[in-house]
Amino acid sequence: MRAVKLRKQDLPAFLKCVQSFGELWGPVREKDRQVLKKTDDVNQIDLTTIRTSLPFKKLLFPPRFSMFHFSGNKYTTSLEHLPNRIIFGLHPCDIHALLIMDDFFTRSFDDPYYTERRKKTAIIGFSCIPDEKCFCHATKTDTVEEGFDLFLTDLDDFFLIWVGSSLGDDMTRECPKIIDEGILPEDLKKYVEWRKYRNSQFKMDIDLTSMPEIFDLSYDSVIWEEEGEKCLSCGACTIVCPTCPCYHVYDKIEMGKIEGERMRQWDSCLFKEYSMVAEGHNFRESRAERLKLRFTHKLQAFVGEYGKPACVGCGRCIETCPVDIDIATIVRRLRGEEVKV
Ligand code: SF4
Ligand code: SF4
């Protein structure tokens, strides 16, 4: 993989330069949180961001959007005029989540509402130092080798940039005056030292080995009732999760008219209506059953289908849950470890 360098003070000029490839989106501080936002002012981008409150999925798979407008037996889709975008600042965990989403929306058939947006989206990843809610080393998503066009590692006085695609290559060649092609042995040494330092900074440790078997053995565990008792069914954990893709589809149509919009909207397996079928029967009536579904899907079912968990250890659900339901605590409890509940 080609690597180049960029001086620290040249980052704003570089981001301005790559704006010729599309709208620039990046983490911007708003009061006490960081949000992924379109910005023309590159100085607004907050490089200290660990996690944005909503992840990249809001751009590739918007919370609510019109799939097509229909009138009689004709329809027009909403896929024309999608903008080219650059998402700056995705950390390795989010890039792994992006790869999971890519797989999910293309494996059985191409979902054009996702893939058309994805084709027009460039990814510039950015290195991070984990905080107390990060556990991407446990999910093995703490480093990335694919899924980005460029990836910047902050090595104090300069950024080491990995070039991950031909589009990324074009971006670096667009800004020749500030991109330095000369990687020196001491630069690589600095990179290796930085990797060691970052590895030493993980504060949370969770053992995710044998989770499929542990879930099998814990199907009737009292833990689900106890944790479900606390859950508010607010769905916030699924809304913020970069690997939760569930949605529902409905028609927006006025009474007496034969035209309208087919809408797609994020859904959550924690909502009571999610598992409700005709005549009002609900397969997961209780909050405990719905909570169990979420964790079983993430750490057992997805492993069977896709060969890896559908959790990338980003810590968003831990940060967001209003009643402190914590994936790490649940895993530890299921493993029989002593935890303070
Ligand atoms: S389950 Fe929680 S920690 Fe895992 S990817 Fe989703 S939001 Fe992040
Ligand atoms: S955020 Fe917490 S309370 Fe809300 S649905 Fe998720 S687990 Fe339940």
Side-chain angles (χ1 to χ4, degrees), residues 9-154:
Q9 65 266 37
D10 289 334
L11 182 64
F14 178 68
L15 292 178
K16 248 197 148 26
C17 175
V18 298
Q19 275 177 299
S20 60
F21 291 84
E23 296 174 349
L24 181 67
W25 288 67
V28 170
R29 178 167 283 279
E30 277 189 353
K31 294 186 182 148
D32 58 344
R33 59 194 190 133
Q34 280 113 333
V35 294
L36 184 58
K37 210 172 163 186
K38 179 174 169 245
T39 177
D40 292 326
D41 178 3
V42 296
N43 294 311
Q44 280 191 331
I45 289 180
D46 183 354
L47 297 178
T48 67
T49 304
I50 302 289
R51 59 185 74 77
T52 52
S53 37
L54 279 184
F56 64 86
K57 72 175 181 181
K58 71 175 187 177
L59 298 179
L60 297 174
F61 163 41
R64 184 192 294 130
F65 66 93
S66 166
M67 297 163 71
F68 53 84
H69 175 267
F70 56 85
S71 179
N73 58 5
K74 293 200 180 72
Y75 74 94
T76 45
T77 73
S78 60
L79 292 173
E80 292 113 40
H81 316 301
L82 293 173
N84 287 317
R85 286 179 174 146
I86 301 160
I87 307 182
F88 173 80
L90 292 197
H91 297 319
C93 61
D94 271 353
I95 296 176
H96 277 277
L98 174 70
L99 292 169
I100 286 175
M101 284 289 193
D102 286 352
D103 203 359
F104 179 83
F105 282 109
T106 56
R107 181 172 282 219
S108 305
F109 64 92
D110 264 7
D111 180 330
Y113 300 98
Y114 179 89
T115 54
E116 288 304 309
R117 286 180 173 84
R118 181 73 179 91
K119 275 185 225 157
K120 296 192 158 214
T121 304
I123 303 296
I124 303 184
F126 193 71
S127 61
C128 50
I129 299 296
D131 71 3
E132 69 289 346
K133 297 187 185 87
C134 296
F135 57 98
C136 55
H137 62 318
T139 51
K140 302 195 183 349
T141 53
D142 52 333
T143 58
V144 266
E145 287 169 7
E146 57 173 334
F148 57 84
D149 297 286
L150 296 175
F151 192 95
L152 277 63
T153 302
D154 185 345

Side-chain angles (χ1 to χ4, degrees), residues 135 241-242 294 298 311-317 327:
F135 57 98
C241 179
R294 170 165 156 78
K298 292 266 168 223
C311 171
V312 293
C314 72
R316 284 188 179 87
C317 56
I327 187 166

